[in-house]
Amino acid sequence: MSQFLSLAEAVEATIYDGDTVAMEGFTHLIPHAAGHEVIRQRRKHLSLIRMTPDLIYDQLIGMGCADKLTFSWGGNPGVGSLHRMRDAVENGWPTPLAIEEHSHAAMANAYEAGAAGLPCAIFRGYIGVDLPKVNANIKRITCPFTGEMLAAIPAIRPDVAVIHAQKADRAGNVFMEGIVGVQKHAVLAAKRSLVTVEEIVDEFSPRTLNATILPAWTVTAIVEIPGGAHPSYAHGYYMRDNAYYKAWDAIARDRDGFLAWMKTNVLEKGPEIFAAQRQRLAAA
Amino acid sequence: MSQFLSLAEAVEATIYDGDTVAMEGFTHLIPHAAGHEVIRQRRKHLSLIRMTPDLIYDQLIGMGCADKLTFSWGGNPGVGSLHRMRDAVENGWPTPLAIEEHSHAAMANAYEAGAAGLPCAIFRGYIGVDLPKVNANIKRITCPFTGEMLAAIPAIRPDVAVIHAQKADRAGNVFMEGIVGVQKHAVLAAKRSLVTVEEIVDEFSPRTLNATILPAWTVTAIVEIPGGAHPSYAHGYYMRDNAYYKAWDAIARDRDGFLAWMKTNVLEKGPEIFAAQRQRLAAA
Amino acid sequence: MTSYTPNEMMTVAAARALKSSDVCFVGIGQPSAACNLARLTHAPDITLIYESGTIATKPNVLPLSIGDGELSETAMTTVSVPEMFRYWLQGGRITIGFLGGAQIDKYANLNTTVVGSYNKPKVRLPGGGGAPEIATSCGEIFIIMNQSPRGFVERLDFVTSLGHGEGGAYREKLGVTTKGPTRLVTDLCIFEPDPETKEMIVTSIHPGVTRAQIEANTGWRVRYANEVVETPIPRADELAALRELHARTKRAHGDQA
Amino acid sequence: MTSYTPNEMMTVAAARALKSSDVCFVGIGQPSAACNLARLTHAPDITLIYESGTIATKPNVLPLSIGDGELSETAMTTVSVPEMFRYWLQGGRITIGFLGGAQIDKYANLNTTVVGSYNKPKVRLPGGGGAPEIATSCGEIFIIMNQSPRGFVERLDFVTSLGHGEGGAYREKLGVTTKGPTRLVTDLCIFEPDPETKEMIVTSIHPGVTRAQIEANTGWRVRYANEVVETPIPRADELAALRELHARTKRAHGDQA
């Protein structure tokens, strides 16, 4: 049953050193505020999972929180490389980063299988390509009816899933809409979950019959953080801060510049800074 | 790309003798009007598929349209047996009916795999039970990562899916809400599809971002038949006709009584009779 | 003290075993009545899930089918049937699965498929529906059934859903990690599994019922717990809630209920 | 006759190959510009799908990321990412997959993973994303890339997505039933696969471009079709639509575009 906590309490309660952590969000609803708190609490040896690791993972990796990254597309969308991720992979700075690389289809299926309580996912994929040569977690399985060879990968079952959503109600149920990505799957696949939301409401209304809702008993901790997805966006609340994504390229390019920026903008700040960003970027 | 047709044209265009046909609906939105037209057009040797065959399949079977039934729960909900189905299985009247029996989980997974273009579905099921002894389409597959034995069944890929939905727009896109069952999966799994709808509208509104919509290019034929799910119901339009379900028990119990009823109420009628039922059962 | 029927006793006894924290996969009929009675009395926050996809539904009247509009209208949300069986049932998120059946044996295996042989059945029953996977995926299973010699049999004609198999560690040997049937409530008594053999043994007898009655309605040799208690009779508030529920249902559905 | 840039020529040439009846899986950047130009000119009913789950989206401005709010707001509906990859892509419902890449070889295999060795890369690229399964599940594949010796290479460092493999019936031998890359549009010319060998050969050269220029920007020995045509120059209406699209995008996103 979900509990309403402060962000610091929520991270303490759900994320431990050495955990496998999936912070998901497909451009939309990326849980940046929660990621900052993980950095402030100096979590170590995390195995990070995400289909599309972007800035928040670049920050976690650059601050030495992670030993491993499982991903399918790692970049700053429309801008370029993730310099901290590349520095960790290529130079082991600040600490070596093991990578497990998949395709989007593979990871989407692996989350889906995790949500479904299965040990593995099967799909038609990885045909004629090199990733199976460098990733031992890509195997083949034969359809017992047709003889077709399919790809098989382990289900993703993280210790904790971290997502950002539009709303929670006072009973601790969570509502999201728009580009919903794999967030519901990640929460259902995980042992624990931390959900930050734009607002807590009395009722989800207007209620549609088939809305995307995570019941309170599937969620561990909920934190209200207006703007908590910034520089990502929350449909209905504020737009994506594209300028921030572009600016990140220069900030992350240099180790010292990165560390200084993190000190000023993350380590010495708290989740309250996100509300101002929401206000600035609120849709007209 | 979907075409708007009359019901007679739509059945002619999409359903052929010998086809594998899935008319789906989980209590809600069962395509009764379309089923009646299949009977009027005297289709033969159909392989019928449905998780919960009820009255419309009892009628198709009793009228000799089907050679085979694949199902997971066959009954008149809350009332009792399907007498025509039992007569066909137990006595071969009017024609023998082969059955392939599954659990709900198996069929739901098989439709899901069909929609996903896979040859088979894997799931955790059929443990310690007798169905695998009498159904050769239930096999086992070993997870290549954990060694766990899972159940495997062939995907359902019908020649044609028949469903009833609330709305189509003028471009031929289809909208449904409420208890949506496996209908979207059945359409996506099928080679062709016939969709009857309560009404054709200019726009689906209020539009939600994640509404359940089948784009026009996934649908073969659309027919507007107000009340076309009767005695099932259409959320937002009319209630389930529970009295009809109860009355069916006596009608179907006897071969001659059944045939006489079908002559009067189906063979000599057309789809226009459904509108009156909708009006009668419309929610206050 | 008001009088009550055996069916009311059964429904009340079944309802009492449910808690507000339970997430319950509900079958139509007697399970549905018991689960909603629990919700309307001591377990207001219980989560009721029907296999039609409705999550956390709070029907004001009992549904007549597994997919009544009332279930979707009063639900927190409604998901597709594949999602229901995959993410919610197989995903291990259900604490209690509530089943009925046509035949049960002493290990609480159930048959809802055929009486007689599968290929030449004496009676063709509706089939398993959700039961085979409910029986192994839910944390535990409650069963509610009227007791009769035809229903409570020494040997099932067909195993539709797994109870404790042949007893003992049968489930574990098949790799099943859930508890299976922990409670069988009938119109006469309550059975629970023997901790070792997993045979369903009588632990509570409804007021006024004799052991002879139980044995006359059971096809296997009935065993009793060392201490058999008397089932507490339905309280006035329980009976009132149940009768109001049935009355509302009858008013809503008329003769159809 | 207005002047135009090589990039405009490339985008227009790519857009022309799309039809109103196509269901197109669209990548961000040049593919997205070409697909939306087609929608705004000769193919108004084309269905554009982005891997973020947006189906039949009609963005008024070009999205900067694969999951811009504009895509969801103007879509017919938005589904989850697993559904997108399972029911829509793997389900075989996409007619055209539109890809770009960092490196391409003469059989239109693509690399977006690493330059150099996988374990000690010279350049770590973003990775495959959707490409590996787009390349085999879509009916056919269009590729749009600026031509350069570094990008058009004799041998890929890493095969991220399958084109025609080693040529000939390579795809069929792997059990792949889709056509693979049928068109490669660059800033200099258009390649199409030789019907037999499946090597990408030049079938159309953009106005003013020489064979020497093409060869200087290609790392393999370029082959030409027996009849090579000149790509028709961008029409005024095509250029106007493309420039308005970019202007709208710039106004909406400001410096961020």
Side-chain angles (χ1 to χ4, degrees), chain B residues 112 115-116 118 173 184-185 188 207 209-211 213 215 217, chain D residues 23 47 73 75-78 83 86-88 90-91 93:
Chain B
E112 211 271 346
L118 288 172
N173 306 300
K184 176 173 161 179
H185 305 81
L188 293 180
R207 187 175 77 92
L209 296 169
N210 307 109
I213 292 176
W217 40 276
Chain D
V23 177
T47 300
E73 261 160 31
M76 180 186 297
T77 192
T78 300
E83 175 173 334
R86 290 165 58 77
Y87 300 173
W88 301 90
Q90 183 177 262
R93 304 201 161 267

PDB file of all heavy atoms in Angstrom, chain B residues 112 115-116 118 173 184-185 188 207 209-211 213 215 217, chain D residues 23 47 73 75-78 83 86-88 90-91 93:
ATOM      1  N   GLU B 112      -3.236 -12.514 -27.506  1.00  0.00           N
ATOM      2  CA  GLU B 112      -2.218 -11.488 -27.335  1.00  0.00           C
ATOM      3  C   GLU B 112      -1.020 -11.784 -28.240  1.00  0.00           C
ATOM      4  O   GLU B 112      -0.499 -10.894 -28.918  1.00  0.00           O
ATOM      5  CB  GLU B 112      -1.796 -11.451 -25.854  1.00  0.00           C
ATOM      6  CG  GLU B 112      -1.362 -10.120 -25.320  1.00  0.00           C
ATOM      7  CD  GLU B 112       0.093  -9.886 -25.492  1.00  0.00           C
ATOM      8  OE1 GLU B 112       0.839 -10.847 -25.782  1.00  0.00           O
ATOM      9  OE2 GLU B 112       0.528  -8.728 -25.357  1.00  0.00           O
ATOM     10  N   ALA B 115      -1.978 -11.001 -31.826  1.00  0.00           N
ATOM     11  CA  ALA B 115      -1.892  -9.563 -32.100  1.00  0.00           C
ATOM     12  C   ALA B 115      -0.444  -9.130 -32.261  1.00  0.00           C
ATOM     13  O   ALA B 115      -0.137  -8.228 -33.036  1.00  0.00           O
ATOM     14  CB  ALA B 115      -2.562  -8.772 -30.975  1.00  0.00           C
ATOM     15  N   ALA B 116       0.446  -9.775 -31.522  1.00  0.00           N
ATOM     16  CA  ALA B 116       1.866  -9.422 -31.548  1.00  0.00           C
ATOM     17  C   ALA B 116       2.614 -10.116 -32.684  1.00  0.00           C
ATOM     18  O   ALA B 116       3.836 -10.009 -32.766  1.00  0.00           O
ATOM     19  CB  ALA B 116       2.512  -9.761 -30.204  1.00  0.00           C
ATOM     20  N   LEU B 118       3.285 -13.205 -33.142  1.00  0.00           N
ATOM     21  CA  LEU B 118       4.119 -14.335 -32.728  1.00  0.00           C
ATOM     22  C   LEU B 118       3.446 -15.663 -33.086  1.00  0.00           C
ATOM     23  O   LEU B 118       2.226 -15.740 -33.171  1.00  0.00           O
ATOM     24  CB  LEU B 118       4.349 -14.290 -31.218  1.00  0.00           C
ATOM     25  CG  LEU B 118       5.293 -13.193 -30.719  1.00  0.00           C
ATOM     26  CD1 LEU B 118       5.285 -13.138 -29.196  1.00  0.00           C
ATOM     27  CD2 LEU B 118       6.706 -13.437 -31.239  1.00  0.00           C
ATOM     28  N   ASN B 173     -12.261   4.671 -38.466  1.00  0.00           N
ATOM     29  CA  ASN B 173     -11.578   4.260 -37.240  1.00  0.00           C
ATOM     30  C   ASN B 173     -12.629   3.826 -36.226  1.00  0.00           C
ATOM     31  O   ASN B 173     -13.754   4.318 -36.240  1.00  0.00           O
ATOM     32  CB  ASN B 173     -10.759   5.415 -36.672  1.00  0.00           C
ATOM     33  CG  ASN B 173      -9.808   5.990 -37.696  1.00  0.00           C
ATOM     34  OD1 ASN B 173      -8.944   5.295 -38.207  1.00  0.00           O
ATOM     35  ND2 ASN B 173      -9.995   7.271 -38.043  1.00  0.00           N
ATOM     36  N   LYS B 184      -9.789  -5.965 -29.311  1.00  0.00           N
ATOM     37  CA  LYS B 184      -8.720  -5.325 -30.084  1.00  0.00           C
ATOM     38  C   LYS B 184      -7.681  -6.369 -30.489  1.00  0.00           C
ATOM     39  O   LYS B 184      -7.197  -6.374 -31.626  1.00  0.00           O
ATOM     40  CB  LYS B 184      -8.084  -4.220 -29.236  1.00  0.00           C
ATOM     41  CG  LYS B 184      -6.904  -3.544 -29.857  1.00  0.00           C
ATOM     42  CD  LYS B 184      -6.461  -2.359 -28.996  1.00  0.00           C
ATOM     43  CE  LYS B 184      -5.047  -1.946 -29.310  1.00  0.00           C
ATOM     44  NZ  LYS B 184      -4.601  -0.800 -28.507  1.00  0.00           N
ATOM     45  N   HIS B 185      -7.336  -7.243 -29.567  1.00  0.00           N
ATOM     46  CA  HIS B 185      -6.368  -8.294 -29.863  1.00  0.00           C
ATOM     47  C   HIS B 185      -6.873  -9.191 -30.989  1.00  0.00           C
ATOM     48  O   HIS B 185      -6.114  -9.576 -31.888  1.00  0.00           O
ATOM     49  CB  HIS B 185      -6.100  -9.128 -28.615  1.00  0.00           C
ATOM     50  CG  HIS B 185      -5.655  -8.316 -27.444  1.00  0.00           C
ATOM     51  ND1 HIS B 185      -6.528  -7.627 -26.637  1.00  0.00           N
ATOM     52  CD2 HIS B 185      -4.421  -8.052 -26.953  1.00  0.00           C
ATOM     53  CE1 HIS B 185      -5.854  -6.987 -25.697  1.00  0.00           C
ATOM     54  NE2 HIS B 185      -4.579  -7.214 -25.870  1.00  0.00           N
ATOM     55  N   LEU B 188      -6.541  -7.430 -34.335  1.00  0.00           N
ATOM     56  CA  LEU B 188      -5.147  -7.320 -34.766  1.00  0.00           C
ATOM     57  C   LEU B 188      -4.551  -8.686 -35.112  1.00  0.00           C
ATOM     58  O   LEU B 188      -3.626  -8.778 -35.919  1.00  0.00           O
ATOM     59  CB  LEU B 188      -4.303  -6.631 -33.683  1.00  0.00           C
ATOM     60  CG  LEU B 188      -4.639  -5.159 -33.424  1.00  0.00           C
ATOM     61  CD1 LEU B 188      -3.731  -4.593 -32.341  1.00  0.00           C
ATOM     62  CD2 LEU B 188      -4.527  -4.326 -34.700  1.00  0.00           C
ATOM     63  N   ARG B 207     -12.125  13.315 -26.644  1.00  0.00           N
ATOM     64  CA  ARG B 207     -11.025  12.413 -26.959  1.00  0.00           C
ATOM     65  C   ARG B 207     -10.060  12.324 -25.769  1.00  0.00           C
ATOM     66  O   ARG B 207      -9.650  13.347 -25.237  1.00  0.00           O
ATOM     67  CB  ARG B 207     -10.267  12.970 -28.174  1.00  0.00           C
ATOM     68  CG  ARG B 207      -9.202  12.071 -28.737  1.00  0.00           C
ATOM     69  CD  ARG B 207      -8.606  12.674 -30.002  1.00  0.00           C
ATOM     70  NE  ARG B 207      -7.662  13.753 -29.718  1.00  0.00           N
ATOM     71  CZ  ARG B 207      -6.349  13.592 -29.567  1.00  0.00           C
ATOM     72  NH1 ARG B 207      -5.829  12.386 -29.658  1.00  0.00           N
ATOM     73  NH2 ARG B 207      -5.558  14.607 -29.333  1.00  0.00           N
ATOM     74  N   LEU B 209      -6.246  10.892 -24.514  1.00  0.00           N
ATOM     75  CA  LEU B 209      -4.990  10.672 -25.226  1.00  0.00           C
ATOM     76  C   LEU B 209      -4.711   9.197 -25.488  1.00  0.00           C
ATOM     77  O   LEU B 209      -4.046   8.854 -26.453  1.00  0.00           O
ATOM     78  CB  LEU B 209      -3.835  11.282 -24.428  1.00  0.00           C
ATOM     79  CG  LEU B 209      -3.886  12.806 -24.252  1.00  0.00           C
ATOM     80  CD1 LEU B 209      -2.850  13.256 -23.240  1.00  0.00           C
ATOM     81  CD2 LEU B 209      -3.654  13.502 -25.591  1.00  0.00           C
ATOM     82  N   ASN B 210      -5.218   8.320 -24.590  1.00  0.00           N
ATOM     83  CA  ASN B 210      -4.882   6.906 -24.703  1.00  0.00           C
ATOM     84  C   ASN B 210      -6.116   6.040 -24.956  1.00  0.00           C
ATOM     85  O   ASN B 210      -6.194   4.899 -24.509  1.00  0.00           O
ATOM     86  CB  ASN B 210      -4.159   6.443 -23.422  1.00  0.00           C
ATOM     87  CG  ASN B 210      -2.965   7.310 -23.083  1.00  0.00           C
ATOM     88  OD1 ASN B 210      -2.983   8.078 -22.119  1.00  0.00           O
ATOM     89  ND2 ASN B 210      -1.930   7.209 -23.882  1.00  0.00           N
ATOM     90  N   ALA B 211      -7.086   6.565 -25.680  1.00  0.00           N
ATOM     91  CA  ALA B 211      -8.319   5.826 -25.941  1.00  0.00           C
ATOM     92  C   ALA B 211      -8.046   4.545 -26.726  1.00  0.00           C
ATOM     93  O   ALA B 211      -7.072   4.459 -27.473  1.00  0.00           O
ATOM     94  CB  ALA B 211      -9.279   6.714 -26.718  1.00  0.00           C
ATOM     95  N   ILE B 213      -8.552   2.580 -29.654  1.00  0.00           N
ATOM     96  CA  ILE B 213      -8.995   2.866 -31.018  1.00  0.00           C
ATOM     97  C   ILE B 213      -8.313   1.895 -31.979  1.00  0.00           C
ATOM     98  O   ILE B 213      -7.112   1.655 -31.880  1.00  0.00           O
ATOM     99  CB  ILE B 213      -8.653   4.323 -31.406  1.00  0.00           C
ATOM    100  CG1 ILE B 213      -9.505   5.295 -30.572  1.00  0.00           C
ATOM    101  CG2 ILE B 213      -8.880   4.566 -32.898  1.00  0.00           C
ATOM    102  CD1 ILE B 213      -9.187   6.758 -30.800  1.00  0.00           C
ATOM    103  N   PRO B 215      -7.351   1.755 -35.738  1.00  0.00           N
ATOM    104  CA  PRO B 215      -7.292   2.590 -36.943  1.00  0.00           C
ATOM    105  C   PRO B 215      -7.975   1.897 -38.127  1.00  0.00           C
ATOM    106  O   PRO B 215      -8.031   0.662 -38.194  1.00  0.00           O
ATOM    107  CB  PRO B 215      -5.788   2.728 -37.203  1.00  0.00           C
ATOM    108  CG  PRO B 215      -5.123   2.413 -35.920  1.00  0.00           C
ATOM    109  CD  PRO B 215      -6.006   1.424 -35.226  1.00  0.00           C
ATOM    110  N   TRP B 217      -7.129   1.248 -41.007  1.00  0.00           N
ATOM    111  CA  TRP B 217      -6.337   0.307 -41.797  1.00  0.00           C
ATOM    112  C   TRP B 217      -6.131  -1.039 -41.090  1.00  0.00           C
ATOM    113  O   TRP B 217      -5.436  -1.916 -41.601  1.00  0.00           O
ATOM    114  CB  TRP B 217      -5.001   0.913 -42.217  1.00  0.00           C
ATOM    115  CG  TRP B 217      -4.332   1.734 -41.153  1.00  0.00           C
ATOM    116  CD1 TRP B 217      -4.576   3.039 -40.863  1.00  0.00           C
ATOM    117  CD2 TRP B 217      -3.347   1.298 -40.207  1.00  0.00           C
ATOM    118  NE1 TRP B 217      -3.790   3.445 -39.809  1.00  0.00           N
ATOM    119  CE2 TRP B 217      -3.032   2.398 -39.395  1.00  0.00           C
ATOM    120  CE3 TRP B 217      -2.692   0.088 -39.985  1.00  0.00           C
ATOM    121  CZ2 TRP B 217      -2.105   2.329 -38.357  1.00  0.00           C
ATOM    122  CZ3 TRP B 217      -1.768   0.003 -38.960  1.00  0.00           C
ATOM    123  CH2 TRP B 217      -1.480   1.118 -38.158  1.00  0.00           C
TER     124      TRP B 217
ATOM    125  N   VAL D  23       1.764   3.159 -43.903  1.00  0.00           N
ATOM    126  CA  VAL D  23       1.832   3.252 -42.447  1.00  0.00           C
ATOM    127  C   VAL D  23       3.312   3.250 -42.125  1.00  0.00           C
ATOM    128  O   VAL D  23       4.014   2.275 -42.368  1.00  0.00           O
ATOM    129  CB  VAL D  23       1.130   2.059 -41.785  1.00  0.00           C
ATOM    130  CG1 VAL D  23       1.270   2.148 -40.272  1.00  0.00           C
ATOM    131  CG2 VAL D  23      -0.333   1.999 -42.207  1.00  0.00           C
ATOM    132  N   THR D  47      -0.192   7.470 -42.576  1.00  0.00           N
ATOM    133  CA  THR D  47      -0.215   7.230 -41.133  1.00  0.00           C
ATOM    134  C   THR D  47       1.209   7.255 -40.604  1.00  0.00           C
ATOM    135  O   THR D  47       2.034   6.426 -40.996  1.00  0.00           O
ATOM    136  CB  THR D  47      -0.851   5.862 -40.841  1.00  0.00           C
ATOM    137  OG1 THR D  47      -2.187   5.855 -41.337  1.00  0.00           O
ATOM    138  CG2 THR D  47      -0.866   5.585 -39.344  1.00  0.00           C
ATOM    139  N   GLU D  73      -0.595  14.800 -28.594  1.00  0.00           N
ATOM    140  CA  GLU D  73      -1.781  15.665 -28.722  1.00  0.00           C
ATOM    141  C   GLU D  73      -2.458  15.544 -30.071  1.00  0.00           C
ATOM    142  O   GLU D  73      -3.673  15.656 -30.180  1.00  0.00           O
ATOM    143  CB  GLU D  73      -1.361  17.135 -28.552  1.00  0.00           C
ATOM    144  CG  GLU D  73      -1.622  17.670 -27.169  1.00  0.00           C
ATOM    145  CD  GLU D  73      -0.774  18.906 -26.919  1.00  0.00           C
ATOM    146  OE1 GLU D  73      -0.479  19.637 -27.872  1.00  0.00           O
ATOM    147  OE2 GLU D  73      -0.389  19.103 -25.744  1.00  0.00           O
ATOM    148  N   ALA D  75      -2.177  12.904 -32.120  1.00  0.00           N
ATOM    149  CA  ALA D  75      -2.305  11.512 -32.556  1.00  0.00           C
ATOM    150  C   ALA D  75      -3.752  11.041 -32.472  1.00  0.00           C
ATOM    151  O   ALA D  75      -4.556  11.581 -31.712  1.00  0.00           O
ATOM    152  CB  ALA D  75      -1.419  10.613 -31.693  1.00  0.00           C
ATOM    153  N   MET D  76      -4.070  10.004 -33.249  1.00  0.00           N
ATOM    154  CA  MET D  76      -5.367   9.340 -33.102  1.00  0.00           C
ATOM    155  C   MET D  76      -5.459   8.711 -31.715  1.00  0.00           C
ATOM    156  O   MET D  76      -6.460   8.820 -31.035  1.00  0.00           O
ATOM    157  CB  MET D  76      -5.515   8.259 -34.174  1.00  0.00           C
ATOM    158  CG  MET D  76      -6.817   7.514 -34.097  1.00  0.00           C
ATOM    159  SD  MET D  76      -6.843   6.148 -35.265  1.00  0.00           S
ATOM    160  CE  MET D  76      -6.718   7.045 -36.806  1.00  0.00           C
ATOM    161  N   THR D  77      -4.396   8.070 -31.307  1.00  0.00           N
ATOM    162  CA  THR D  77      -4.283   7.575 -29.937  1.00  0.00           C
ATOM    163  C   THR D  77      -2.816   7.270 -29.648  1.00  0.00           C
ATOM    164  O   THR D  77      -1.995   7.225 -30.559  1.00  0.00           O
ATOM    165  CB  THR D  77      -5.157   6.324 -29.684  1.00  0.00           C
ATOM    166  OG1 THR D  77      -5.211   6.055 -28.272  1.00  0.00           O
ATOM    167  CG2 THR D  77      -4.609   5.100 -30.399  1.00  0.00           C
ATOM    168  N   THR D  78      -2.513   7.107 -28.358  1.00  0.00           N
ATOM    169  CA  THR D  78      -1.155   6.789 -27.936  1.00  0.00           C
ATOM    170  C   THR D  78      -1.184   5.508 -27.124  1.00  0.00           C
ATOM    171  O   THR D  78      -1.971   5.384 -26.182  1.00  0.00           O
ATOM    172  CB  THR D  78      -0.565   7.934 -27.086  1.00  0.00           C
ATOM    173  OG1 THR D  78      -0.546   9.125 -27.879  1.00  0.00           O
ATOM    174  CG2 THR D  78       0.844   7.616 -26.638  1.00  0.00           C
ATOM    175  N   GLU D  83       3.364  -2.158 -26.253  1.00  0.00           N
ATOM    176  CA  GLU D  83       2.336  -2.418 -27.269  1.00  0.00           C
ATOM    177  C   GLU D  83       2.815  -1.982 -28.648  1.00  0.00           C
ATOM    178  O   GLU D  83       2.610  -2.686 -29.641  1.00  0.00           O
ATOM    179  CB  GLU D  83       1.019  -1.717 -26.919  1.00  0.00           C
ATOM    180  CG  GLU D  83       0.014  -1.916 -28.053  1.00  0.00           C
ATOM    181  CD  GLU D  83      -1.389  -1.420 -27.802  1.00  0.00           C
ATOM    182  OE1 GLU D  83      -1.816  -1.347 -26.639  1.00  0.00           O
ATOM    183  OE2 GLU D  83      -2.067  -1.126 -28.799  1.00  0.00           O
ATOM    184  N   ARG D  86       5.210  -4.557 -29.913  1.00  0.00           N
ATOM    185  CA  ARG D  86       4.644  -5.901 -30.054  1.00  0.00           C
ATOM    186  C   ARG D  86       3.518  -5.938 -31.092  1.00  0.00           C
ATOM    187  O   ARG D  86       3.603  -6.650 -32.085  1.00  0.00           O
ATOM    188  CB  ARG D  86       4.150  -6.405 -28.700  1.00  0.00           C
ATOM    189  CG  ARG D  86       5.320  -6.719 -27.743  1.00  0.00           C
ATOM    190  CD  ARG D  86       4.844  -6.860 -26.304  1.00  0.00           C
ATOM    191  NE  ARG D  86       3.840  -7.879 -26.151  1.00  0.00           N
ATOM    192  CZ  ARG D  86       4.062  -9.183 -26.124  1.00  0.00           C
ATOM    193  NH1 ARG D  86       5.291  -9.638 -26.248  1.00  0.00           N
ATOM    194  NH2 ARG D  86       3.076 -10.030 -25.955  1.00  0.00           N
ATOM    195  N   TYR D  87       2.446  -5.148 -30.878  1.00  0.00           N
ATOM    196  CA  TYR D  87       1.281  -5.296 -31.755  1.00  0.00           C
ATOM    197  C   TYR D  87       1.474  -4.582 -33.085  1.00  0.00           C
ATOM    198  O   TYR D  87       0.943  -5.006 -34.099  1.00  0.00           O
ATOM    199  CB  TYR D  87       0.016  -4.742 -31.100  1.00  0.00           C
ATOM    200  CG  TYR D  87      -0.364  -5.393 -29.801  1.00  0.00           C
ATOM    201  CD1 TYR D  87      -1.404  -4.890 -29.043  1.00  0.00           C
ATOM    202  CD2 TYR D  87       0.299  -6.515 -29.312  1.00  0.00           C
ATOM    203  CE1 TYR D  87      -1.779  -5.466 -27.839  1.00  0.00           C
ATOM    204  CE2 TYR D  87      -0.055  -7.092 -28.111  1.00  0.00           C
ATOM    205  CZ  TYR D  87      -1.094  -6.554 -27.378  1.00  0.00           C
ATOM    206  OH  TYR D  87      -1.454  -7.117 -26.189  1.00  0.00           O
ATOM    207  N   TRP D  88       2.162  -3.438 -33.064  1.00  0.00           N
ATOM    208  CA  TRP D  88       2.178  -2.606 -34.259  1.00  0.00           C
ATOM    209  C   TRP D  88       3.391  -2.885 -35.114  1.00  0.00           C
ATOM    210  O   TRP D  88       3.259  -3.065 -36.320  1.00  0.00           O
ATOM    211  CB  TRP D  88       2.010  -1.129 -33.862  1.00  0.00           C
ATOM    212  CG  TRP D  88       0.717  -0.966 -33.120  1.00  0.00           C
ATOM    213  CD1 TRP D  88       0.522  -1.073 -31.772  1.00  0.00           C
ATOM    214  CD2 TRP D  88      -0.598  -0.802 -33.688  1.00  0.00           C
ATOM    215  NE1 TRP D  88      -0.834  -0.969 -31.468  1.00  0.00           N
ATOM    216  CE2 TRP D  88      -1.528  -0.791 -32.633  1.00  0.00           C
ATOM    217  CE3 TRP D  88      -1.064  -0.647 -34.990  1.00  0.00           C
ATOM    218  CZ2 TRP D  88      -2.910  -0.647 -32.835  1.00  0.00           C
ATOM    219  CZ3 TRP D  88      -2.431  -0.491 -35.191  1.00  0.00           C
ATOM    220  CH2 TRP D  88      -3.330  -0.490 -34.122  1.00  0.00           C
ATOM    221  N   GLN D  90       6.058  -5.546 -34.530  1.00  0.00           N
ATOM    222  CA  GLN D  90       6.214  -6.985 -34.720  1.00  0.00           C
ATOM    223  C   GLN D  90       4.958  -7.599 -35.339  1.00  0.00           C
ATOM    224  O   GLN D  90       5.026  -8.592 -36.066  1.00  0.00           O
ATOM    225  CB  GLN D  90       6.518  -7.661 -33.379  1.00  0.00           C
ATOM    226  CG  GLN D  90       6.768  -9.157 -33.464  1.00  0.00           C
ATOM    227  CD  GLN D  90       7.133  -9.718 -32.105  1.00  0.00           C
ATOM    228  OE1 GLN D  90       8.292  -9.909 -31.795  1.00  0.00           O
ATOM    229  NE2 GLN D  90       6.138  -9.981 -31.285  1.00  0.00           N
ATOM    230  N   GLY D  91       3.801  -7.007 -35.067  1.00  0.00           N
ATOM    231  CA  GLY D  91       2.552  -7.484 -35.644  1.00  0.00           C
ATOM    232  C   GLY D  91       2.474  -7.337 -37.158  1.00  0.00           C
ATOM    233  O   GLY D  91       1.540  -7.827 -37.781  1.00  0.00           O
ATOM    234  N   ARG D  93       2.257  -4.544 -39.033  1.00  0.00           N
ATOM    235  CA  ARG D  93       1.287  -3.567 -39.528  1.00  0.00           C
ATOM    236  C   ARG D  93       1.920  -2.321 -40.121  1.00  0.00           C
ATOM    237  O   ARG D  93       1.237  -1.389 -40.512  1.00  0.00           O
ATOM    238  CB  ARG D  93       0.336  -3.186 -38.381  1.00  0.00           C
ATOM    239  CG  ARG D  93      -0.330  -4.410 -37.816  1.00  0.00           C
ATOM    240  CD  ARG D  93      -1.605  -4.174 -37.072  1.00  0.00           C
ATOM    241  NE  ARG D  93      -2.325  -5.437 -37.002  1.00  0.00           N
ATOM    242  CZ  ARG D  93      -3.237  -5.820 -37.871  1.00  0.00           C
ATOM    243  NH1 ARG D  93      -3.582  -5.055 -38.860  1.00  0.00           N
ATOM    244  NH2 ARG D  93      -3.815  -7.004 -37.751  1.00  0.00           N
TER     245      ARG D  93
END
